[in-house]
């Protein structure tokens, strides 16, 4: 009969393969929405992927723990002061005032306006579909998705 130490590496590699599959499935969800894969990686503790939106103004990083007792972490981070055209159009359709859109889109000459928390919440709402798909993946693997938002401000 094999000892525990002989069984654990097989179980660990099975867990790793399942996590790699989840990571790739989550990345495909975003790629199908126009995002570009920047990189994917893995350690014995977690697998990760990072993607960039088409305008290069937002970045998403997903971290999936290999051991299923931890949460999945989805980081949504602003990369530039300006928003992508599709996001700007979506915000406008929600009635966000033109002055705010100009500031968030980088159309104003003022350069010290950062994407603040309220703008990042709007971004999260814009990405609700892909985020829900990733959350469903996490739930199917008995975990939950934790969303982290980071703007460009000094306190983000």
């Amino acid at each position: 009969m094999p000892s525990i130490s002989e069984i654990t590496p097989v179980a660990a590699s099975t867990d790793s393969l399942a996590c790699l599959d989840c990571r790739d499935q989550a990345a495909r969800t975003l790629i199908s929405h126009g995002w570009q894969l920047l990189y994917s990686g893995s350690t014995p503790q977690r697998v990760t992927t990072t993607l960039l939106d088409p305008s290069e103004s937002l970045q998403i990083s997903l971290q999936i723990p290999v051991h299923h007792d931890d949460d999945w972490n989805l980081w949504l981070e602003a990369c530039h002061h300006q928003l992508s055209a599709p996001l700007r159009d979506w915000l406008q359709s929600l009635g966000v005032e033109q002055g705010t859109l100009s500031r968030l889109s980088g159309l104003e000459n003022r350069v010290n306006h950062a994407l603040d928390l309220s703008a990042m919440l709007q971004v999260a709402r814009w990405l609700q579909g892909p985020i829900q798909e990733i959350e469903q993946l996490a739930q199917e693997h008995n975990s939950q998705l934790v969303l982290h938002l980071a703007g460009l401000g000094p306190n983000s």
Side-chain angles (χ1 to χ4, degrees):
M1 177 167 200
S3 70
I4 296 276
S5 63
E6 293 172 318
I7 295 172
T8 304
V10 173
S13 73
T14 303
D15 287 346
S16 295
L17 290 175
C19 288
L20 290 170
D21 184 51
C22 288
R23 178 198 66 193
D24 294 345
Q25 199 172 349
R28 281 191 301 272
T29 296
L30 291 161
I31 290 169
S32 71
H33 286 86
W35 290 68
Q36 174 187 3
L37 179 66
L38 291 180
Y39 61 88
S40 292
S42 64
T43 69
Q45 289 77 34
R46 70 178 145 290
V47 298
T48 62
T49 190
T50 299
L51 299 103
L52 188 65
D53 87 310
S55 70
E56 298 184 356
S57 52
L58 298 170
Q59 176 179 298
I60 283 184
S61 296
L62 176 63
Q63 299 175 349
I64 301 172
V66 171
H67 307 291
H68 299 289
D69 53 349
D70 291 328
D71 297 331
W72 291 23
N73 289 289
L74 185 68
W75 294 85
L76 178 58
E77 302 174 76
C79 301
H80 291 286
H81 292 281
Q82 58 196 39
L83 300 175
S84 65
L87 176 55
R88 188 175 57 248
D89 293 344
W90 184 79
L91 289 171
Q92 189 172 17
S93 75
L94 292 178
V96 174
E97 67 178 34
Q98 192 61 42
T100 301
L101 285 174
S102 294
R103 179 177 59 80
L104 293 175
S105 301
L107 300 176
E108 275 187 5
N109 291 332
R110 301 160 81 187
V111 290
N112 290 329
H113 290 291
L115 290 177
D116 57 15
L117 184 57
S118 62
M120 291 306 294
L121 286 172
Q122 293 293 344
V123 169
R125 286 186 193 105
W126 179 60
L127 290 169
Q128 185 173 356
I131 289 172
Q132 282 178 331
E133 290 179 39
I134 295 168
E135 183 177 40
Q136 183 178 351
L137 271 173
Q139 289 172 348
E140 289 170 4
H141 290 86
N142 299 319
S143 192
Q144 72 174 359
L145 181 68
V146 178
L147 179 64
H148 304 269
L149 303 174
L152 290 175
N155 297 320
S156 290

